[in-house]
Amino acid sequence: MGALTNDQAVSQEIFKMIEGMKSKFPQLDFESYIHKMNRSFNSKDNMGKDQIFHLSILTAVERISVEEPDWTFVAANLYASRLYEQCRKVRGLKDEEKYGSFYGLIKTMSEMGIYDDRLLEFYAREEIDFLGSIIDPLKDRLFTYIGIVTLAERYLTKSHDGQVYELPQERFMIIAMTLMMNEPQDKRLNLIEEAYWALSNLYMTVATPTLANAGKSYGQLSSCFIDTVDDSLRGIYDSNTDISTLSKNGGGIGVYLGKIRSRGSDIKGFKGISSGVIPWMKQLNNTAVSVDQLGQRQGAIAVYLDVWHKDIFSFLDVRLNNGDERQRTHDLFTGICIPDLFMEQVEARGEWHLFDPHEVRRILGYSLEDHFDESRGDGVFREKYWECVNHPDLSKVTVPAIEIMKAIMKSQLETGTPYMFYRDEVNRQNANKHKGMIYCSNLCTEITQNMSPTLVEEEIVHDGTIIIHKKPGDYVVCNLSSIALAKSVGDAVLERLISIQVRMLDNVIDLNGIPVLQAQLTNERYRGIGLGTFGWHHLLAQKGIRWESEKAVDYCDSLYEEIAYLTIKASMELAKEKGTYPYFEGSDWHTGDFFSYKGYQSEKWIELKQEIMEHGIRNGYLMAVAPNSSTSIIAGSTASIDPIFRKSYSEEKKDYKIPVTAPDLSAITNWFYKSAYTIDQHWSIKQNAKRQKHIDQSISFNFYVSNDIKAKALLDLHLDAWGSGLKTTYYVRSTSGAEIEDCESCHS
């Protein structure tokens, strides 16, 4: 292989790098790569170092293909070297240094006001120097090209003028230091080492807000929030203020609107005055657009409504591209809260009745949404529902249940939404039902935690000051991170990984300064976390298991049972050390009912159940599988529990495209990477039913369908999902196509 030409010093540097990669990737044609580089260099004069690096990277990138996927690692290595070069300049490092002084970086970024001052307050110089010494630049070789580019462009810390100061392993170490900040000093460094081990080996990823904001002087660490809006003018506007505050700080929001009175309801006894939920959705739509997330993207808000609400048909139309634009909210996402009884009526082609929640409260003295069926086919909800149907003084609209279902599916095929939230199943499996009710999910349908509205009880003037007394509701907060299944299972590190991962998630709760105080209180009371996974299709391909097979279904069952066991055990061990969550007493964890309804009867589960009943558990909610598409890209794997779209695609950049292939693509794994749109979705439901059994919250679970799918086929998928005990379904992703973007906040 001949040396590169043009700038001899730079060409020799690149030559050495490529020479070092030849033995690792002997299957790649480096001779033709060098030949093309030489031709390019010889055709141009006076190329600078950055230009030479750029050209060498692009030449490697254009070779990434299904036939030669490993060029992505060559391009990533070259890109990392260019990052080192850029950081050397701005940080004044020596030529041979890849990573400079870690203490110097923290001091510089703190002086700029970008890093949190607590990093220097909590850690001594000696501790920071030690942590800097265990940073391993070789871990940068684990990145794919699209992975390191995504990390660098979106998450590495920059100065105010946009210069990259922080390198990938420093970002991971800063995250580890931040999340372990409050741990006892005698074991803190060991815990940081463990957290860095987990992150730097790409065994796990943290959620986007944590990845972006840990160690910073701004932003917060939690992913998504869920609000319950009270049926009052004050409640509606206070909620909008809270949502805008969280959106500004980078949170995705789920909003339950089911308590708000319907169009035509009375206000203060005046009949037919209320304009229903749509005008308030217009307000939220404006908030989503005008209060963006740290200037990076517009706010992301999902609104949920019950399928028995009188406004349901207009609600289902809000994202359609035709009709009255005054009734449209194109920038909101929608979800429907569905009881078992509705699906039974759809199946039986029966009638369905719509009510005004305000009228139900006024005449019957209860809220229909406050109840659920304790078992399939029987329970309090259906008793209350039929009482409403048969009450002579209660107005109702009666329609065929299938007509509502048709409207749901029409909207899903056009817009991807509404999401489906099966409220009875969710509440039956709620480990904290002793403290409340779950009305809806979050922006990405994986979080299911107790909810209630915040109420203003008193507003007084005292000594010239206005004092507002509020009764804080349960304002849900989700703190997320995810296991990289293929790498973690392949290296047999699940037990070690989950132990540190649960601690990291739990520490987010105490570190986070949430600007909406009722959310802060809820976070502290339940200490809810969401440990999830990604790389399921990657793992199946590695193991040579076909997606559409009983083997995949059985493996899903056994693997997620193992993950559940290790997660619950880790939280129990934390409770021994730090105490239980405040609402533990009376929970299904405390009574042992959680283990009974999950059917955990083996010796190890019985032993764990007894330990938890005796010692408690640290976190009231534990597991949730988020979409995590961008963070799975960083980790070089497949997103969430989804099948791949295709074996190769191009990621669009401003002035070029990045070819991306399925991870670990080879002549062997190739046969196990079947496209999402060619997979029988009923097999995906079978897998997810097994997975859902072991996850105490829920899963961002998509349907992938062709744009010409028959209504009956889509209906059968929904009936199968509900009948199989799924708690939620996420997007209906149709080949017809408008691009559907996941909530960035929930990427974990």
Side-chain angles (χ1 to χ4, degrees):
M1 180 169 67
L4 303 172
T5 54
N6 206 287
D7 184 313
Q8 287 298 319
V10 179
S11 70
Q12 286 300 323
E13 183 179 336
I14 295 173
F15 174 82
K16 286 180 183 177
M17 290 174 55
I18 294 167
E19 191 67 34
M21 286 186 270
K22 281 179 69 180
S23 59
K24 187 174 182 182
F25 303 109
Q27 73 279 19
L28 299 182
D29 184 1
F30 283 100
E31 293 298 334
S32 64
Y33 171 82
I34 291 294
H35 181 67
K36 179 165 184 180
M37 289 291 293
N38 273 325
R39 280 191 300 148
S40 298
F41 286 175
N42 291 333
S43 67
K44 298 174 183 177
D45 295 324
N46 302 318
M47 290 177 67
K49 191 169 187 177
D50 193 61
Q51 289 175 296
I52 294 174
F53 261 120
H54 184 66
L55 182 59
S56 65
I57 292 166
L58 289 185
T59 306
V61 167
E62 68 185 17
R63 291 170 172 264
I64 301 169
S65 66
V66 170
E67 293 73 29
E68 291 190 304
D70 288 338
W71 279 106
T72 189
F73 295 107
V74 176
N77 273 254
L78 291 164
Y79 185 89
S81 294
R82 190 170 70 163
L83 270 181
Y84 304 153
E85 175 69 19
Q86 290 169 343
C87 282
R88 273 197 287 267
K89 288 179 181 176
V90 296
R91 288 164 62 174
L93 306 179
K94 297 174 183 175
D95 284 347
E96 66 275 10
E97 286 185 287
K98 288 183 178 179
Y99 281 68
S101 164
F102 188 47
Y103 179 82
L105 170 70
I106 294 175
K107 192 168 187 298
T108 299
M109 300 312 283
S110 298
E111 288 170 353
M112 287 184 186
I114 294 172
Y115 274 179
D116 190 333
D117 288 339
R118 289 182 299 174
L119 289 171
L120 292 174
E121 292 168 5
F122 277 62
Y123 294 99
R125 170 72 186 263
E126 296 76 20
E127 291 176 306
I128 295 173
D129 286 341
F130 168 74
L131 294 173
S133 73
I134 63 173
I135 285 175
D136 184 1
L138 292 178
K139 292 294 196 299
D140 288 342
R141 295 182 182 177
L142 298 175
F143 291 112
T144 61
Y145 181 65
I146 186 65
I148 196 168
V149 168
T150 302
L151 180 66
E153 291 185 351
R154 296 191 190 181
Y155 302 109
L156 295 186
T157 304
K158 301 176 178 66
S159 61
H160 292 110
D161 61 358
Q163 298 282 342
V164 176
Y165 269 72
E166 185 185 69
L167 291 167
Q169 300 306 313
E170 291 167 332
R171 174 90 307 246
F172 291 150
M173 185 60 81
I174 291 290
I175 293 168
M177 288 174 66
T178 302
L179 297 189
M180 297 303 167
M181 196 175 278
N182 292 325
E183 292 287 352
Q185 196 161 1
D186 61 338
K187 63 177 186 177
R188 189 170 61 182
L189 291 184
N190 287 335
L191 291 171
I192 293 170
E193 281 192 75
E194 279 293 281
Y196 175 71
W197 164 82
L199 291 166
S200 65
N201 280 294
L202 305 181
Y203 288 135
M204 62 165 285
T205 57
V206 292
T208 287
T210 308
L211 184 59
N213 298 332
K216 306 282 184 65
S217 61
Y218 52 84
Q220 51 85 39
L221 306 178
S222 294
S223 302
C224 284
F225 303 84
I226 314 176
D227 190 16
T228 311
V229 183
D230 182 46
D231 183 37
S232 66
L233 198 62
R234 180 64 177 268
I236 290 166
Y237 277 99
D238 280 359
S239 174
N240 206 332
T241 299
D242 291 339
I243 288 166
S244 64
T245 301
L246 291 169
S247 186
K248 177 186 72 173
N249 284 277
I253 321 289
V255 186
Y256 178 65
L257 300 177
K259 292 187 174 294
I260 297 177
R261 65 196 69 191
S262 63
R263 181 179 176 85
S265 182
D266 65 275
I267 299 177
K268 296 187 181 297
F270 291 94
K271 304 294 183 184
I273 298 299
S274 173
S275 52
V277 300
I278 303 301
W280 306 124
M281 289 173 64
K282 297 287 281 186
Q283 296 268 4
L284 285 173
N285 195 84
N286 292 338
T287 297
V289 173
S290 57
V291 184
D292 64 18
Q293 297 184 351
L294 304 175
Q296 295 173 358
R297 64 188 74 87
Q298 71 179 39
I301 300 172
V303 289
Y304 287 79
L305 197 69
D306 296 294
V307 76
W308 65 81
H309 197 289
K310 277 187 177 179
D311 288 349
I312 190 65
F313 280 107
S314 55
F315 179 83
L316 289 170
D317 288 346
V318 294
R319 300 193 71 211
L320 299 183
N321 294 318
N322 51 26
D324 186 355
E325 274 300 310
R326 292 170 298 180
Q327 300 294 310
R328 298 290 177 265
T329 56
H330 298 292
D331 302 293
L332 298 181
F333 303 90
T334 54
I336 304 291
C337 308
I338 297 172
D340 289 342
L341 186 58
F342 173 74
M343 298 303 285
E344 292 166 17
Q345 292 297 97
V346 168
E347 212 167 16
R349 301 301 189 265
E351 292 181 332
W352 190 247
H353 309 277
L354 310 178
F355 303 100
D356 168 30
H358 172 70
E359 190 182 16
V360 172
R361 283 191 295 271
R362 180 172 56 81
I363 293 176
L364 292 173
Y366 59 75
S367 295
L368 194 53
E369 67 272 11
D370 288 349
H371 305 280
F372 67 94
D373 282 349
E374 292 81 1
S375 60
R376 277 281 169 116
D378 184 44
V380 175
F381 171 78
R382 64 184 64 216
E383 290 175 13
K384 300 290 186 185
Y385 174 84
W386 290 121
E387 186 180 354
C388 291
V389 171
N390 295 320
H391 199 288
D393 298 330
L394 194 65
S395 66
K396 62 180 181 290
V397 175
T398 302
V399 296
I402 193 65
E403 291 303 315
I404 298 176
M405 198 68 198
K406 285 178 182 176
I408 289 171
M409 294 189 296
K410 178 178 184 288
S411 178
Q412 286 175 333
L413 289 174
E414 185 171 325
T415 71
T417 65
Y419 314 138
M420 307 291 267
F421 175 82
Y422 297 114
R423 63 191 313 278
D424 290 328
E425 194 66 48
V426 167
N427 282 286
R428 280 194 288 267
Q429 296 196 42
N430 177 15
N432 293 285
K433 59 176 74 73
H434 68 306
K435 283 294 183 182
M437 179 83 186
I438 304 173
Y439 297 115
C440 75
S441 188
N442 65 318
L443 183 61
C444 301
T445 75
E446 82 277 15
I447 300 301
T448 56
Q449 299 182 20
N450 284 349
M451 305 164 57
S452 58
T454 295
L455 306 173
V456 175
E457 293 187 323
E458 185 181 38
E459 196 167 6
I460 60 173
V461 176
H462 180 73
D463 289 342
T465 302
I466 298 171
I467 301 173
I468 301 171
H469 293 278
K470 289 185 177 182
K471 181 183 178 183
D474 282 331
Y475 200 120
V476 177
V477 184
C478 41
N479 310 295
L480 301 169
S481 73
S482 294
I483 298 167
L485 286 177
K487 191 163 179 56
S488 300
V489 172
D491 288 356
V493 298
L494 279 181
E495 185 168 5
R496 179 182 175 187
L497 171 65
I498 289 172
S499 176
I500 193 67
Q501 191 174 355
V502 169
R503 184 182 292 269
M504 291 164 74
L505 280 166
D506 183 68
N507 285 346
V508 168
I509 296 162
D510 298 315
L511 288 163
N512 217 6
I514 301 173
V516 174
L517 297 183
Q518 60 268 35
Q520 184 78 27
L521 288 171
T522 304
N523 215 13
E524 292 164 1
R525 288 168 178 162
Y526 292 97
R527 302 194 70 84
I529 61 174
L531 184 144
T533 63
F534 63 88
W536 171 245
H537 201 176
H538 186 184
L539 179 62
L540 289 183
Q542 272 189 345
K543 290 191 168 291
I545 300 174
R546 289 188 303 109
W547 188 281
E548 297 162 296
S549 68
E550 289 295 344
K551 190 174 181 181
V553 174
D554 292 341
Y555 184 49
C556 191
D557 191 7
S558 61
L559 177 61
Y560 280 86
E561 180 175 349
E562 181 185 3
I563 291 169
Y565 175 81
L566 292 172
T567 304
I568 294 166
K569 184 181 179 184
S571 186
M572 181 272 295
E573 295 291 349
L574 264 187
K576 287 182 182 178
E577 180 185 329
K578 298 184 176 185
T580 64
Y581 71 100
Y583 283 174
F584 170 72
E585 190 171 343
S587 70
D588 287 357
W589 301 110
H590 181 219
T591 63
D593 288 346
F594 174 86
F595 303 91
S596 300
Y597 65 65
K598 292 290 186 183
Y600 294 145
Q601 300 297 332
S602 68
E603 187 177 333
K604 73 173 187 178
W605 276 112
I606 290 170
E607 184 180 333
L608 181 58
K609 169 184 172 180
Q610 290 168 344
E611 282 195 272
I612 287 173
M613 291 172 72
E614 180 182 351
H615 300 291
I617 196 167
R618 182 67 171 164
N619 312 99
Y621 297 100
L622 284 168
M623 288 162 284
V625 179
N628 55 34
S629 56
S630 67
T631 47
S632 63
I633 286 171
I634 291 170
S637 194
T638 57
S640 192
I641 45 89
D642 284 358
I644 62 167
F645 285 174
R646 55 189 74 88
K647 290 174 191 173
S648 65
Y649 66 94
S650 290
E651 184 82 11
E652 299 277 348
K653 291 295 174 183
K654 188 169 69 173
D655 53 355
Y656 63 98
K657 294 179 180 179
I658 298 176
V660 183
T661 62
D664 284 330
L665 193 61
S666 68
I668 298 171
T669 61
N670 177 66
W671 300 103
F672 301 97
Y673 276 127
K674 191 173 180 181
S675 169
Y677 290 106
T678 61
I679 284 173
D680 180 349
Q681 300 298 297
H682 291 282
W683 280 105
S684 299
I685 292 170
K686 280 186 179 185
Q687 290 179 17
N688 219 39
K690 295 295 187 182
R691 186 181 289 113
Q692 182 65 83
K693 173 186 173 184
H694 305 296
I695 290 172
D696 62 314
Q697 295 190 75
S698 195
I699 300 157
S700 298
F701 174 66
N702 296 298
F703 285 136
Y704 293 90
V705 301
S706 62
N707 61 320
D708 59 353
I709 188 172
K710 302 295 184 188
K712 183 182 184 305
L714 182 53
L715 176 59
D716 285 346
L717 287 176
H718 285 305
L719 288 170
D720 190 8
W722 163 70
S724 298
L726 301 195
K727 295 179 180 178
T728 60
T729 62
Y730 194 26
Y731 285 111
V732 172
R733 296 184 183 268
S734 166
T735 53
S736 59
E739 286 294 315
I740 294 173
E741 290 189 11
D742 289 317
C743 162
E744 284 277 347
S745 299
C746 284
H747 293 165
S748 60

